[in-house]
Amino acid sequence: MPEAVVSTVSAIDEIIQGLSNHPAYISPKFFYDAHGSDLFSQITSLPEYYLTRTENAIMNEQGDAIKREAGAVSTLIELGAGNCRKAQALCALLQPQRFVPLDISEEYLLEATADFREKLPGLAVYPVASDLTQAIILPTHIPPERRLVFYPGSSIGNFDPPHAANLLRRVRALLDDDGALLIGVDLVKDVDVLEAAYNDAAGVTAAFNLNVLQHVNAIIGSDFSDDDWRHVAFFNPAHSRIEMHLESVGETVVHWPEGERRFAAGERIHSENSYKYLINDFINLLAENGFGRSKVWTDAQNWLAIVLAHP
Ligand SMILES: C[S@@+](CC[C@H](N)C(=O)[O-])C[C@H]1O[C@@H](n2cnc3c(N)ncnc32)[C@H](O)[C@@H]1O
């Protein structure tokens, strides 16, 4: 059996469709080749990026309460697991029998899994390399009872509300009635704080955004050059979301084997949304999509919420 189970998606078609659109877009899932995953890991320790340290602080402070509310957990399933560090702490707290990290970034996932096994040698770990925008298929030997799905990092914010609703329904379908979802969600706050988090002074988020072009080059054989593009990120209050774009510095033509796209100076490729929620709206979204009972923990500034949601 392969170490990681890979789902097949036509990434090439998806990217070309986005590049041919007006305005052009690239799904944020393409940020994450191994270099992109590494850059994201660097972002998590930047002073401007309050999300990771705030989420970790809530998890540390509320560990006992989370444990009480979650009850006995037999399988911890992490969506968008990245470096799996948050799950390490959660597994140490909840002592599940097995851990199933799922991520689109296969090479990085397997490295993170190896590190995880060294740190928690007693735990069975079954990595799944797959795309959450497709069907979520777990290894068949994972028992259905007492599953806890962990979805930290406010990654749910990368989905627009209808797609977030669809994902929540698919997560619900992974659970028996004794299962639960532990999810981190970023909340609406001062625009300066939000915008600084996506425009760090060291330029790591800019490098992360630009790296998607190299990943796209590798997938579709295009000739994007970093020098032709600049990072743009701002809060869009009408949609309550941070938007990230790549803006063409001058007029440029991008070619790939069976096509091309001409960009005017200043034209943008939309590369990510990060929705920021009011906590009640998020609880309603959960309730409308299969999770009727929720317990919420936040930090003192109400910047971020951890929600334990039961079917
Ligand atoms: C914002 S990072 C969060 C990482 C980590 N969970 C954390 O909280 O620090 C998003 C993670 O989700 C993964 N990811 C993004 N889009 C995905 C998709 N469509 N399917 C599966 N994983 C995805 C990325 O590779 C990355 O590890």
Side-chain angles (χ1 to χ4, degrees):
M1 199 174 121
E3 168 73 344
V5 184
V6 186
S7 66
T8 50
V9 190
S10 178
I12 297 178
D13 290 349
E14 192 177 342
I15 291 170
I16 291 175
Q17 193 182 358
L19 290 178
S20 309
N21 197 61
H22 290 266
Y25 64 86
I26 300 173
S27 165
K29 68 188 182 187
F30 296 114
F31 283 137
Y32 299 96
D33 59 359
H35 185 52
S37 295
D38 190 45
L39 285 168
F40 180 77
S41 194
Q42 292 176 40
I43 288 173
T44 62
S45 11
L46 292 169
E48 297 92 338
Y49 198 77
Y50 59 86
L51 286 99
T52 306
R53 64 171 180 275
T54 307
E55 191 171 54
N56 286 341
I58 300 171
M59 297 283 290
N60 285 339
E61 276 162 30
Q62 304 297 346
D64 288 347
I66 290 170
K67 189 173 177 173
R68 222 174 19 251
E69 283 287 324
V73 172
S74 93
T75 305
L76 184 75
I77 301 164
E78 183 177 10
L79 307 181
N83 60 22
C84 301
R85 283 205 198 115
K86 290 174 183 168
Q88 267 178 36
L90 193 60
C91 285
L93 178 76
L94 299 177
Q95 303 278 320
Q97 289 157 37
R98 60 193 78 72
F99 173 49
V100 183
L102 184 152
D103 205 288
I104 197 166
S105 190
E106 181 174 9
E107 190 186 326
Y108 193 80
L109 174 68
L110 295 182
E111 272 174 30
T113 304
D115 181 57
F116 193 98
R117 286 186 174 124
E118 269 177 34
K119 301 256 168 52
L120 293 176
L123 191 63
V125 182
Y126 305 104
V128 177
S130 83
D131 178 355
L132 278 178
T133 65
Q134 313 288 314
I136 303 173
I137 299 167
L138 301 179
T140 47
H141 63 276
I142 304 297
E145 65 273 6
R146 304 218 74 85
R147 292 176 173 176
L148 179 67
V149 172
F150 182 41
Y151 196 26
S154 202
S155 295
I156 189 76
N158 295 144
F159 292 85
D160 63 22
H163 287 100
N166 176 281
L167 178 58
L168 290 173
R169 285 197 296 277
R170 289 186 292 123
V171 169
R172 169 65 185 95
L174 296 175
L175 304 174
D176 279 359
D177 288 348
D178 60 7
L181 166 66
L182 184 66
I183 186 165
V185 60
D186 200 16
L187 303 178
V188 174
K189 62 184 66 62
D190 188 275
V191 174
D192 291 343
V193 176
L194 285 171
E195 292 191 338
Y198 296 82
N199 290 288
D200 59 284
V204 187
T205 311
F208 173 72
N209 195 6
L210 282 162
N211 179 64
V212 81
L213 299 177
Q214 297 315 314
H215 193 202
V216 163
N217 282 347
I219 296 171
I220 70 165
S222 50
D223 59 358
F224 277 105
S225 164
D226 286 5
D227 296 342
D228 296 336
W229 301 88
R230 71 176 195 97
H231 164 74
V232 176
F234 57 87
F235 186 64
N236 178 337
H239 292 284
S240 194
R241 67 190 188 200
I242 287 281
E243 294 186 8
M244 292 216 304
H245 299 257
L246 289 155
E247 186 174 281
S248 179
V249 175
E251 189 178 324
T252 187
V253 185
V254 178
H255 310 86
W256 54 90
E258 288 176 8
E260 64 175 37
R261 169 73 190 265
R262 183 173 297 275
F263 292 91
E267 199 173 345
R268 289 175 178 172
I269 301 174
H270 193 160
S271 52
E272 189 183 60
N273 291 318
S274 293
Y275 283 82
K276 309 300 170 187
Y277 282 91
L278 296 171
I279 189 61
N280 286 343
D281 292 345
F282 191 70
I283 299 301
N284 289 339
L285 184 71
L286 285 166
E288 285 159 9
N289 294 287
F291 294 94
R293 195 162 57 86
S294 292
K295 173 86 187 158
V296 180
W297 297 276
T298 61
D299 55 293
Q301 304 184 93
N302 272 317
W303 277 5
L304 192 133
I306 302 271
V307 184
L308 185 68
H310 297 275

